Every structure is written in C-alpha cells, then in structure tokens.
Amino acid sequence: MDYTAQETATKHEQILKYIENLKIGSKISVRKIAEKLAVSEGTAYRAIKEADNLGLVSTKERVGTVRVEKKLRDNIDKLTFAEVVNIVDGEVLGGLGGLQKTLYKFVIGAMQQDAMMRYIDPGSLLIVGNRSKAHICALEQGAGVLITGGFGTGEEVKRLANQLELPIISSSYDTFTVASMINRAIYDRLIKKKILLIEDIVPPSMEVVVLKSHHTLKDWQRLNEQAGHSRFPVVDEWNRVIGMITSKDLIGAEPEQTMDKLMTRNPLTAAPNTSVAAAAHMMVWEGIDLLPIIDTNRKIMAVISRKDVLKAMQHIQRQPQNGETFEDLIWSGFAEERNKEGYPIFRGAITPQMTNQLGTVSEGVLTILMKQAAYHIVQDIKKGDLVMDNMSSYFVKPVQIDSEIEILPRIIEVSRKFGKIDVAIYHANTQTLVAKAMLTAQFIDQV
C-alpha cells in the first residue's frame, strides 16, 4: 500500500501548471485559456489571479497580462524596472517590453557624459535629467533610463528604447528623492531576505508520508514500523489535510477503526511563506511536534518537525545581518555593563527617533527595550532562544529626549522550559523609576 501523497490536479491547478510552462513574455488572456483548456472563463480568471499572486504573471497597462519570470528569494533584493516605475510613481515613455528585466545597479548622472559612461553597464539604470544624448548613450550601453524632474525625451530616444526593449521612465521627483526611494526599497528587501521562511528549509519536491481517512489502525502500525515515527497527517482523496494522528489518539482503538474516527480534526497548518520564527512560536505554544505545510488549496506539500525549525533558527543566528530593522536600530545604542553584584545593566540615550510627537519616549520603544533586555539576560544563563508568552507593563512614566537611561533585567524564575523576568528602567542621573514590566517566556532549547 502506498502511503505517500499522490498528486491529483484540479482544473484550477492544471491552469496554473499550463501558465507556469508558458514561455517568458507570452501574453495571457482569460478567453484564450478557457478555450485552450476547456474550462469556464470564471475558472480561468481565478487561476490567472492566483498566478499573479504567485509572481508567475504580471498585468501592465496597454500591454495586458504577460508571463514573467518568478523572482527567487535569492534575488529578492534585486528590483525589476517595473518595480522601479511603481516606487517612483513613474510614467513609461518607451521600452515597455523590457519592464520585467532585472536592475542590478543605478547610476546618478551628475557628471560629464564621458565620465558617466564609465559607470554604466548592461542592467544599470541611469538617473538623469533632460539630457537626450545621455539617454541615447545609456540605452546603447544596455541600461535603462530614469528621467527626473518630470521631463520627457525625444522621439528618437523613444524609438531606440522600444527597439532595444530597455525602459525609459519619467518621474516628477528630483534626483535625490528618486535615489532615496530606490535605496529604501532595496534596504527593505534586504531585511525580507534575512527572514527565513518555511519554503527555505523544505526541499521543493518532498515525499510526504500520509494516511488516508479510510486507513485503519493496522495501516498506522505498518506505517509506524516503516517510517520510524508515530505522527502522520491524514488527507482526503484530493490530498487536502483533514486531520493529524498520533499514538495518543490510538489508545483503546480497535484494529479495524478508520483514521477519520480517531484523528484530531482541523489541525494546525502553515503555508510555505510562513516565517520559521512564526512556525516555532506556533509549535512551542501549542505543544506540537509535526506541522503540515499546505498550498492555497490546502493540499499537503511537506511536513516540518520541531527539530527542523529549531535547527533553522540556530542557523539564522549565525548569519550576517543583511539589513537592520527598527528594533535592531533602537537596541544598537545600548551598551552592556555590570554592577557590583555582577548583574547586567544596559545603558543608552533616548534619541529623537525614539520619541513621539510630544518629545517624550514612545511607549512602544520602551516595550522593545525591555523585551531586548530580557532576551539578553536569558542568553547569559540559558543557551537557545525564547518565545514571549506575555508582557505586563505596570508602570510607565514620560522620558524626555536625550535622557540617559539604565535598563535592569532580573530573572525571577527559570526552569527547563519556562522563564519569568522582571525589567525596570531608570533615569541614569536621578535613578528615578520610569518603566517596569513583567515578562514570561517559553524556552526553545538547542537541538
């Protein structure tokens, strides 16, 4: 008996597969797909919309829906010319056929033309004003052009852009603003690239061991011997997850009882684009050891164990930072010291970015500081990571901009799986209490 998930494609999935196999640049329409695959136009429309969400197609004004290359997460920090158009609220003057090409770097044309050309390579984007000769030279070098200040360009330039399929874009913003907007978009993508997702830790074609709803206790016993573990997803005839079965569910069961009578219904599942940290929190909080990974149709794609997740989280901690979040930036200004008793104290100043409209520190920033201090003191005594269960802030006082503060975390109770931490924040000069909180957390042990 085969216990692996067998692929059964619906019409919706057949359309997605058809779109995926189309040549990059192929035009797509609801009517043509409906005729080609003998489906209703409603079914074709829904599949095209999902293909758009998956990054397989893109709909452009005056062009229509086109098959595009799906951007891999390895290249998430790379922008396409089409994305640049959206970022700078631009208008495409020519070269529509090249909008899906990838941008590798941008060059600001604030120099003589001869000097400018030394920095332009294929895949570049030249940011420049209304200098038609520079536009032509950039296109001839294989680069796109972004014209700032709301200026246009000549018909000769537009014809060349269409011929070479290299976009020429006009934006009403000035050069500095445009460069800042593109930089910000790239920086945000670097942060996203740093976040490890479930799809990064499971193989693309994982063989999943499952039980069907009509399988019996005898089938579970046979599969338990083959696989060497006791937890399995239960799926229906379409491979949609409908339950989970573990050895606990089988206590007192008869040999011929079927899985649909014994399984736990409506199990927790996750999508491939769920972050590993979120999956870890879910598994620790709910006390589960196996998490089914499903697609948009609830069909099973893979399973991950708690061990898989914890190994991945430890791998994250050893990786270099690609981009800093607000939390990283807030905590970076604080230095760790030790008092006479050897307890850690974190000292730093309230910067302008940490304040609200009244010039006092934001309550959200205080929460971040107390959470980070709790995390660091736990790291002193227990290797691994933690998942925050609860945080109760029971004292908060306004703190002025540029004030020096001290954060004093203290562990009240710690066990193998659980911790309770008290955190207090004081003015460094007056030793006045300005915030206090109690945090509880579950520990994720090293594997």
Side-chain angles (χ1 to χ4, degrees):
M1 187 177 291
D2 188 5
Y3 296 105
T4 57
Q6 298 297 318
E7 183 65 30
T8 308
T10 62
K11 288 182 179 179
H12 181 86
E13 291 166 326
Q14 289 171 12
I15 298 169
L16 286 176
K17 197 71 176 175
Y18 171 76
I19 293 172
E20 194 173 352
N21 291 330
L22 288 175
K23 183 181 176 184
I24 303 299
S26 301
K27 289 190 177 182
I28 298 167
S29 75
V30 170
R31 185 176 56 80
K32 285 183 179 177
I33 285 186
E35 291 176 356
K36 177 79 175 177
L37 299 180
V39 297
S40 70
E41 291 193 0
T43 302
Y45 174 77
R46 287 190 293 273
I48 291 172
K49 289 298 290 182
E50 183 169 341
D52 194 0
N53 294 333
L54 295 171
L56 296 173
V57 303
S58 181
T59 303
K60 299 299 173 188
E61 191 177 348
R62 299 195 303 274
V63 175
T65 304
V66 181
R67 173 74 170 95
V68 296
E69 188 172 359
K70 186 176 181 180
K71 183 171 285 190
L72 300 175
R73 270 182 52 80
D74 289 346
N75 297 324
I76 194 173
D77 52 324
K78 301 291 193 303
L79 297 171
T80 64
F81 289 107
E83 288 167 330
V84 171
V85 174
N86 292 330
I87 290 165
V88 302
D89 298 325
E91 177 189 357
V92 182
L93 305 178
L96 279 169
L99 283 176
Q100 297 307 321
K101 291 181 178 177
T102 302
L103 160 68
Y104 293 99
K105 70 173 184 177
F106 63 90
V107 179
I108 296 175
M111 59 193 84
Q112 292 291 333
Q113 187 171 312
D114 291 344
M116 195 189 302
M117 291 305 114
R118 293 203 297 267
Y119 297 94
I120 297 176
D121 303 309
S124 303
L125 175 68
L126 174 65
I127 301 173
V128 70
N130 56 339
R131 298 165 62 180
S132 296
K133 289 185 178 179
H135 303 165
I136 291 172
C137 289
L139 291 169
E140 289 174 344
Q141 294 281 97
V145 179
L146 174 53
I147 306 169
T148 58
F151 294 110
T153 190
E155 291 301 320
E156 181 187 354
V157 177
K158 293 177 184 179
R159 281 195 298 273
L160 183 60
N162 290 329
Q163 178 187 332
L164 299 175
E165 293 192 332
L166 289 168
I168 185 154
I169 306 159
S170 176
S171 172
S172 59
Y173 297 112
D174 60 59
T175 301
F176 174 80
T177 304
V178 161
S180 299
M181 293 166 83
I182 296 173
N183 259 325
R184 179 73 255 177
I186 293 172
Y187 191 76
D188 288 347
R189 284 162 179 263
L190 285 170
I191 292 173
K192 287 183 180 179
K193 187 175 181 178
K194 182 181 71 174
I195 298 171
L196 196 67
L197 304 182
I198 288 174
E199 65 187 17
D200 298 323
I201 67 171
V202 296
S205 54
M206 181 179 190
E207 188 176 88
V208 188
V209 180
V210 298
L211 285 163
K212 300 279 187 178
S213 56
H214 62 271
H215 284 160
T216 64
L217 174 58
K218 288 182 179 179
D219 294 314
W220 179 89
Q221 291 169 336
R222 195 177 299 117
L223 191 55
N224 174 238
E225 291 176 5
Q226 293 175 9
H229 60 85
S230 60
R231 297 174 179 84
F232 304 100
V234 182
V235 300
D236 62 12
E237 64 271 22
W238 295 100
N239 283 330
R240 293 176 300 202
V241 177
I242 57 173
M244 285 290 294
I245 193 79
T246 71
S247 54
K248 290 181 182 178
D249 300 316
L250 303 174
I251 296 172
E254 297 295 328
E256 299 304 323
Q257 274 191 280
T258 55
M259 292 298 108
D260 58 344
K261 301 291 192 300
L262 301 168
M263 67 186 184
T264 301
R265 294 183 179 275
N266 302 316
L268 289 172
T269 58
N273 59 355
T274 303
S275 72
V276 169
H281 187 283
M282 189 188 306
M283 295 177 84
V284 170
W285 183 260
E286 299 291 342
I288 58 176
D289 291 303
L290 196 71
L291 186 66
I293 310 305
I294 60 172
D295 63 15
T296 53
N297 298 307
R298 290 196 59 81
K299 285 193 173 186
I300 194 161
M301 301 171 63
V303 292
I304 57 170
S305 67
R306 189 187 293 211
K307 186 176 181 181
D308 295 331
V309 169
L310 301 188
K311 276 186 176 179
M313 290 191 70
Q314 290 166 27
H315 175 71
I316 295 170
Q317 294 168 8
R318 294 192 291 267
Q319 297 308 301
Q321 298 292 309
N322 290 320
E324 291 184 310
T325 62
F326 288 131
E327 195 161 318
D328 297 328
L329 294 169
I330 288 168
W331 186 250
S332 65
F334 285 78
E336 182 178 348
E337 301 176 8
R338 297 277 169 169
N339 63 11
K340 294 177 182 178
E341 291 79 27
Y343 290 118
I345 298 175
F346 301 94
R347 283 195 173 91
I350 301 301
T351 63
Q353 291 82 9
M354 298 181 188
T355 57
N356 57 27
Q357 73 275 15
L358 301 175
T360 58
V361 68
S362 163
E363 290 82 359
V365 169
L366 288 177
T367 300
I368 288 172
L369 292 174
M370 290 190 283
K371 191 184 82 170
Q372 285 285 348
Y375 175 82
H376 280 78
I377 195 173
V378 166
Q379 292 289 301
D380 273 359
I381 64 164
K382 196 172 181 70
K383 297 302 179 187
D385 213 326
L386 58 85
V387 172
M388 202 68 65
D389 280 347
N390 183 50
M391 180 174 181
S392 300
S393 299
Y394 50 91
F395 184 81
V396 178
K397 189 176 179 180
V399 186
Q400 297 298 316
I401 191 170
D402 295 329
S403 298
E404 295 281 336
I405 60 173
E406 295 178 350
I407 310 173
L408 283 74
R410 297 289 181 269
I411 290 179
I412 296 174
E413 179 187 359
V414 64
S415 64
R416 190 172 67 88
K417 292 287 185 183
F418 176 83
K420 187 182 291 183
I421 307 103
D422 177 82
V423 185
I425 301 180
Y426 295 88
H427 270 294
N429 297 329
T430 63
Q431 290 301 300
T432 306
L433 182 68
V434 296
K436 199 167 177 64
M438 179 76 70
L439 298 88
T440 57
Q442 292 192 48
F443 296 118
I444 301 175
D445 293 329
Q446 298 275 9
V447 293

